[in-house]
Amino acid sequence: MQNFQFYVPTKVIFGQGTVDQVGQLVAEQGCKKVLVHFGGRSAKASGLLDRVCASLQSAGVPYVTLGGVKPNPRLALVYEGLELCRKEGVDFLLAVGGGSVIDSAKAIAFGLANPDLDVWDLYDQRAAATACAPVGCVLTIAAAGSETSNSSVITKETPDGDLKRAYGSDLCRPRFAIMDPTLTYTLPDYQTACGCTDIMMHTMERFFAYEKDNDVTDNIAIGILRAVKKNALILVNDPKNYNARAQIMWAGSLSHNSLTGCGIVGRGDWATHQLEHELGGMFDVAHGAGLAAMWGSWARYVCDAQPARFAQFAREVMEVPATGDDMIDALAGIAAFENLMHELHMPTNLPELGVTATEQQIETLAYRCTYEHRRKIGYVKVLDESDIANIYRMANQVPDPLFT
Ligand code: NZQ
Ligand code: ZN
């Protein structure tokens, strides 16, 4: 087991009806003025925004609002939010939404606390933040885990295609997260499934960075994966099942609050996430669906480096019977995971995602994924530009079922 630090300062307020505590929670932060940040449509349409504003008013907390955050949140709105916050004297960011809204709020918070920096330089890995304004959130989709995570992902629109980049720092972990599973009842089925996929991936990215005899973390990871698999399938037929929504929502935070990374080498593998971020930038796909479309190709490309770990995943998560041959079990586990994705109506390759990349687009994706030759990605196998392009090429084809 490796040494580690585990720092999760977020106060979680979990359960039905907890939204109405938001005014009091913000008031406890002792701030002067709040920016209520939200997305394109759902928070307004469901009446959630009105409930949040009413709670702030009754707690005597002054606020301004800024909506319009898109999935794959854009840098331009972050700059707009920054300007508004400076003009209005905002010193607390309240995100009402999913990962995109929370990440946009985190980016504004970094900008507010680091006035000498262009906030994009953080995401472009050219600068580090020394502070972050406080953020709180009311979560409306179980997926990205941003409600307790140390990271934020922002997309910059450029004439040569958009760039989606992540920045990680404990400074941006939210002060509190209100997590009411009933808020996720209004989600489209597709977004529910994208979220369940992302949650599994956050644990899998760490699980495949194998560390021997790391029993506690391994068992937490396997437990989370089994719970998400079971409850994601329940939601396919029964989307208003409170308990399944609650299990998924709690798993979303535990998957990405660093718990499943305790004691492992480094931070995890994260190649699938890096591959998806380029797809998100170029094709504006939903994050969870992009991960689902890439994972099988990544897994087949690297599994010979860790057949025993992939075989364990097959047996203990996907419940594939053991044959005694790790490589056979590993491949069966990958196929079983792809079957699960299909049961959730998720894609398992780029054409199913609705993307057919040209060879030139694949080369651009691979080049950008190396941050223009500034890095390699992955841990199970360290992947250079040509490996990355090969994985995109694999994902770009519909696999022959006889060979999967
Ligand atoms: O904008 P609205 O109208 O709210 O619609 C959203 C959006 O279209 C909708 N939605 C959210 N809650 C809803 C709802 N619709 C109906 N009822 C509700 N209760 O769902 C759509 C997706 O929302 P989004 O916030 O984009 O989803 P998610 O939480 O999956 O966030 C994805 C973003 O987070 C990043 C992703 O890359 C992507 O940009 N990630 C952030 C991470 C982090 N900060 O730690 C880690 C992740 O790996 C991920 O990269
Ligand atoms: Zn993710």
Side-chain angles (χ1 to χ4, degrees):
M1 185 181 195
Q2 304 289 316
N3 294 357
F4 65 91
Q5 291 187 11
F6 181 60
Y7 173 70
V8 189
T10 308
K11 177 175 185 174
V12 171
I13 302 97
F14 194 98
Q16 192 158 5
T18 48
V19 173
D20 302 321
Q21 297 177 37
V22 68
Q24 189 53 38
L25 282 160
V26 176
E28 284 167 13
Q29 298 293 322
C31 54
K32 293 197 197 83
K33 199 166 192 178
V34 176
L35 177 73
V36 181
H37 202 30
F38 55 97
R41 208 192 66 84
S42 72
K44 257 192 183 163
S46 67
L48 173 62
L49 194 64
D50 288 343
R51 259 175 95 186
V52 168
C53 291
S55 179
L56 291 172
Q57 273 161 22
S58 68
V61 177
Y63 64 88
V64 286
T65 61
L66 178 65
V69 179
K70 293 181 184 163
N72 296 323
R74 306 302 199 275
L75 182 64
L77 192 71
V78 171
Y79 288 144
E80 195 183 320
L82 253 176
E83 215 176 291
L84 178 67
C85 288
R86 286 182 182 134
K87 193 175 101 201
E88 294 282 342
V90 164
D91 57 356
F92 189 90
L93 286 297
L94 179 64
V96 180
S100 295
V101 175
I102 302 170
D103 286 1
S104 183
K106 287 177 175 177
I108 296 169
F110 277 128
L112 275 180
N114 299 272
D116 299 335
L117 281 180
D118 177 347
V119 76
W120 179 250
D121 285 346
L122 302 175
Y123 294 84
D124 204 24
Q125 317 297 316
R126 294 180 193 276
T130 52
C132 184
V135 177
C137 55
V138 177
L139 185 65
T140 64
I141 170 172
S146 187
E147 67 278 5
T148 54
S149 84
N150 65 348
S151 102
S152 157
V153 187
I154 295 295
T155 295
K156 178 183 184 176
E157 287 161 311
T158 82
D160 302 328
D162 298 351
L163 286 178
K164 180 172 170 175
R165 295 284 178 264
Y167 179 63
S169 160
D170 279 336
L171 295 168
C172 73
R173 290 194 195 257
R175 297 287 174 94
F176 65 78
I178 293 183
M179 295 167 55
D180 177 345
T182 65
L183 297 181
T184 65
Y185 285 173
T186 50
L187 278 169
D189 295 343
Y190 182 73
Q191 289 296 339
T192 297
C194 284
C196 293
T197 305
D198 194 19
I199 293 167
M200 291 191 82
M201 290 290 167
H202 291 158
T203 289
M204 288 157 67
E205 296 278 20
R206 295 170 170 105
F207 180 81
F208 287 108
Y210 173 62
E211 172 70 25
K212 82 177 165 61
D213 299 332
N214 199 18
D215 294 344
V216 172
T217 297
D218 271 3
N219 282 300
I220 291 172
I222 290 163
I224 288 173
L225 290 169
R226 290 172 66 108
V228 177
K229 176 170 157 262
K230 173 183 155 188
N231 288 288
L233 289 169
I234 291 174
L235 291 178
V236 171
N237 295 315
D238 186 9
K240 290 208 165 58
N241 184 310
Y242 178 82
N243 195 56
R245 288 279 180 196
Q247 299 301 317
I248 296 286
M249 192 171 239
W250 185 221
S253 295
L254 296 184
S255 265
H256 202 37
N257 72 356
S258 307
L259 179 65
T260 56
C262 292
I264 66 167
V265 191
R267 293 174 53 248
D269 184 89
W270 296 105
T272 310
H273 265 73
Q274 302 311 309
L275 294 164
E276 188 290 323
H277 283 180
E278 297 313 318
L279 286 182
M282 189 178 283
F283 300 108
D284 199 19
V285 297
H287 174 61
L291 294 170
M294 290 309 304
W295 186 80
S297 297
W298 167 82
R300 289 191 180 86
Y301 198 83
V302 306
C303 69
D304 62 341
Q306 288 280 7
R309 190 60 157 174
F310 277 85
Q312 184 189 7
F313 173 79
R315 286 191 308 270
E316 296 183 27
V317 178
M318 300 314 301
E319 298 170 85
V320 169
T323 62
D325 180 325
D326 280 348
M327 203 56 208
I328 290 173
D329 293 353
L331 291 171
I334 295 167
F337 184 80
E338 290 183 325
N339 288 340
L340 171 68
M341 290 296 102
H342 282 153
E343 285 184 82
L344 301 181
H345 308 294
M346 284 285 101
T348 58
N349 53 56
L350 293 182
E352 286 177 10
L353 180 65
V355 165
T356 311
T358 63
E359 181 56 25
Q360 193 182 351
Q361 284 172 323
I362 285 175
E363 283 169 18
T364 304
L365 287 166
Y367 172 63
R368 287 189 178 162
C369 197
T370 64
Y371 288 177
E372 299 160 8
H373 298 150
R374 280 187 279 151
R375 66 166 189 174
K376 294 177 182 172
I377 63 166
Y379 176 81
V380 177
K381 262 188 199 171
V382 177
L383 305 170
D384 64 15
E385 188 177 351
S386 95
D387 295 313
I388 294 168
N390 285 338
I391 295 172
Y392 281 126
R393 285 187 194 105
M394 284 168 70
N396 209 27
Q397 291 163 3
V398 181
D400 185 332
L402 287 176
F403 295 98
T404 57

